[in-house]
Amino acid sequence: QLKDAFGDYYETLVKKMQEATTKHIDETSWRNNGINNWLWIFINKEVALYVIQKQRSSDVPKAVLGNQKDKFITTDRFSAYNKLVEKTGCLQQVCWTHLLRNSKDLAKHYSEAKYIHKRMKFIFRKAKEGEKKEKLLGWIDIISSRKYHGTEVPKFVNSVCIKHRDDLFRFVDNPEVEPTNNLAERGLRHAVVMRKVSGGSRSNKGAATTAKLLSVMQTIKMQEGNIIENMTNLLQKGK
């Protein structure tokens, strides 16, 4: 009943997210009637949009967002987002929190990765301090020009410093783009707590209701003013 009472507000959030020039995307597992599904979040500073689907492929964000040519998405480098770039024309900013986390983990297992992690931390710090993009990319190229042994370290360098070279410093050119995907990760915490308590949804209808109410409530919480008053005003407008 509450979902219906909010009227078309969820569709309004979908439209706002489609039109937004910058957004963050992430996903986490979600059980629906005992079957593994995925809960996706699309979020920026104004709107939080949740979608529960069976797939974890690029088809889900593509269906939600549509054409995104020259709009920015911040992601964690999951392969589906690379496909999304190809399909929708969006520009990707990869999350530096994930990059540094990955390089740190790599350095624990491979001594030559210690150099990479140290340089990545230095480069990110300089990027936040306002260093020019050309110099930042030059430092990245120095990392990729070195020779590494084994498979894991070269694989990381190839992915980050070569394949995602153009996606490292979108935030340097555009102050509206954030260098990390922390906003999306924080937005998923509420759903993770719900999942631990409830175990997920028991039907497609329940999953749809969960996604819509999460979207409405989290968006209202992000707005200025009293949460209860904002919710009441929204319900009154839907009458």
Side-chain angles (χ1 to χ4, degrees):
Q1 290 176 338
L2 185 59
K3 181 196 72 172
D4 294 338
F6 279 116
D8 298 327
Y9 189 59
Y10 181 79
E11 297 305 321
T12 299
L13 299 183
V14 173
K15 186 175 181 180
K16 285 184 176 182
M17 187 55 63
Q18 291 171 341
E19 296 174 347
T21 56
T22 63
K23 64 211 69 178
H24 299 247
I25 311 177
D26 205 350
E27 76 293 325
T28 188
S29 60
W30 185 268
R31 300 287 286 180
N32 182 24
N33 197 26
I35 300 173
N36 194 44
N37 280 226
W38 296 93
L39 185 145
W40 295 75
I41 183 172
F42 305 83
I43 189 170
N44 56 23
K45 295 179 180 179
E46 299 178 353
V47 175
L49 179 69
Y50 298 81
V51 177
I52 297 177
Q53 292 287 339
K54 292 181 180 180
Q55 293 180 304
R56 199 190 181 194
S57 72
S58 60
D59 291 339
V60 175
K62 180 178 181 294
V64 172
L65 299 175
N67 179 35
Q68 292 290 295
K69 184 172 175 54
D70 297 332
K71 295 178 180 178
F72 296 87
I73 60 169
T74 300
T75 77
D76 58 6
R77 282 195 305 138
F78 176 48
S79 59
Y81 303 125
N82 301 329
K83 291 283 181 74
L84 184 66
V85 170
E86 298 174 7
K87 293 179 178 179
T88 69
C90 60
L91 302 173
Q92 183 176 198
Q93 168 65 57
V94 294
C95 174
W96 271 88
T97 298
H98 281 82
L99 294 181
L100 294 178
R101 191 182 299 159
N102 294 154
S103 64
K104 182 179 181 179
D105 184 63
L106 207 62
K108 291 180 181 178
H109 299 88
Y110 304 95
S111 59
E112 59 185 349
K114 293 179 181 178
Y115 159 80
I116 296 173
H117 179 58
K118 182 178 179 180
R119 293 301 294 171
M120 294 288 285
K121 287 198 300 182
F122 168 79
I123 292 170
F124 183 47
R125 176 166 57 83
K126 286 296 183 180
K128 291 190 294 181
E129 291 174 356
E131 186 61 76
K132 291 183 178 180
K133 185 176 179 179
E134 293 75 16
K135 195 164 187 177
L136 297 170
L137 288 173
W139 288 330
I140 291 294
D141 292 338
I142 292 175
I143 294 177
S144 62
S145 66
R146 292 168 64 107
K147 292 195 176 185
Y148 304 94
H149 303 89
T151 57
E152 293 303 315
V153 176
K155 182 180 178 181
F156 175 82
V157 172
N158 183 63
S159 174
V160 174
C161 301
I162 299 177
K163 290 184 178 180
H164 283 291
R165 182 180 184 272
D166 294 336
D167 304 327
L168 294 172
F169 305 111
R170 306 278 188 193
F171 71 96
V172 174
D173 294 329
N174 187 340
E176 294 298 315
V177 177
E178 295 186 26
T180 74
N181 208 26
N182 295 345
L183 184 62
E185 291 193 341
R186 291 196 300 270
L188 284 177
R189 288 175 188 168
H190 311 286
V192 170
V193 172
M194 288 179 61
R195 182 184 64 200
K196 288 181 178 179
V197 174
S198 67
S201 307
R202 296 186 180 181
S203 66
N204 291 335
K205 184 177 180 180
T209 299
T210 297
K212 290 185 178 182
L213 291 184
L214 263 175
S215 300
V216 173
M217 294 304 298
Q218 292 306 316
T219 299
I220 290 176
K221 287 174 67 175
M222 293 164 65
Q223 297 172 358
E224 294 183 1
N226 183 276
I227 295 175
I228 300 300
E229 290 180 0
N230 290 341
M231 191 195 319
T232 302
N233 292 334
L234 183 60
L235 289 170
Q236 290 175 342
K237 288 179 181 179
K239 289 183 178 180

